[in-house]
Amino acid sequence: MNLEQREDNHLSGWSTAFGRNSIYALTLFALGASLYFQYRALGIAFADVSTADHIGYMLRVTARIAFFLLVLAMIARPFRQLTGTGLQLLRHRRYLGLAMAFVHTVHFGYVLAFLKNSDEPLAMVTLIFGGLAFLLTWIMAATSNNTSQRALGVWWRRIHTLGIYYVWLIFMNTFIGALSASSDPLYVGIIAAGLVAVSLRIAVFLRQRFSRTA
Ligand code: HEM
């Protein structure tokens, strides 16, 4: 390896670490800012925010931030393959996924708080389908490292593809349910972003299929 290549490797290692730390810092900042401005978002005085208000608000905030990070991680590769740009996004995909898993774990914490604080019973279907989504998120996070990737071989890709699409599906199902309950246009934007992410992935998959058979 010549000096130039070594320098390039060193720089890319440094810039990846900087990007990773920025993603983690921005994720924490987004959570902190959402917490700080909750009374404004809820449209009530700071002193009037009840525990139930706070839990409901943070459930929505954590779900939206986690979905945003999931969408970014999902489009990283197809965006690079379709446009030839976005190398940095692709390089940082793992950290976007890990940040998503962290925020989703905060959602899990608020789910526990919600169950403790409300009289609403947990439906079996929510427990099974929601529980599986958390489990897959944690499995993906635990295996998001080079050692696991090497050890799992072809299974790494299978587990992560299944996990991503399953978690995406649960998100979309919940957002579609929220849209039909509230008709807030924000949900239309969120659902559209989710559909664009999957469409990009399908477009790249089909392009690779057809270029192989052509
Ligand atoms: C046992 C599992 C879970 C329970 C009991 C649960 C409970 C809740 C509750 C009570 C809300 C707040 C509803 C509101 O006040 O509007 C919520 C919001 C949400 N949750 Fe969960 N959750 C679970 C798992 C999950 C999982 C695994 C995902 C995604 C993969 C998810 C995605 C969402 C979304 C998208 C929202 C709506 C956010 C919004 O309205 O903007 N939840 N959840």
Side-chain angles (χ1 to χ4, degrees), residues 66-166:
F67 189 63
F68 174 71
L69 291 164
L70 177 73
V71 164
L72 283 182
M74 282 177 81
I75 64 167
R77 186 171 294 282
F79 184 76
R80 169 85 182 148
Q81 283 169 327
L82 283 178
T83 65
T85 61
L87 177 64
Q88 290 306 325
L89 184 67
L90 181 60
R91 260 194 194 153
H92 294 90
R93 195 170 60 141
R94 175 180 288 176
Y95 311 117
L96 291 166
L98 286 170
M100 179 271 166
F102 171 71
V103 181
H104 207 35
T105 305
V106 179
H107 187 82
F108 177 75
Y110 277 100
V111 165
L112 295 183
F114 173 81
L115 294 173
K116 197 164 182 286
N117 196 54
S118 84
D119 300 328
E120 255 182 66
L122 178 61
M124 192 49 93
V125 65
T126 312
L127 177 69
I128 294 170
F129 286 94
L132 185 58
F134 283 125
L135 189 66
L136 282 169
T137 303
W138 293 326
I139 290 174
M140 285 191 287
T143 55
S144 282
N145 54 71
N146 295 342
T147 314
S148 304
Q149 206 163 351
R150 270 193 301 272
L152 288 168
V154 69
W155 278 98
W156 190 92
R157 203 183 177 85
R158 286 178 187 158
I159 293 166
H160 281 247
T161 304
L162 171 82
I164 284 171
Y165 280 110
Y166 182 80

Side-chain angles (χ1 to χ4, degrees), residues 55-57 59-61 63-64 100 104 107 111 114-115 122 126-127 129-131 133-134 137 166-168 170-172 174-175 178 186-187 190:
I55 293 172
Y57 169 76
L59 278 166
R60 290 190 294 279
V61 162
R64 290 170 195 183
M100 179 271 166
H104 207 35
H107 187 82
V111 165
F114 173 81
L115 294 173
L122 178 61
T126 312
L127 177 69
F129 286 94
F134 283 125
T137 303
Y166 182 80
V167 173
W168 175 88
I170 301 295
F171 269 118
M172 290 296 276
T174 318
F175 282 127
L186 174 74
Y187 290 117
I190 296 175

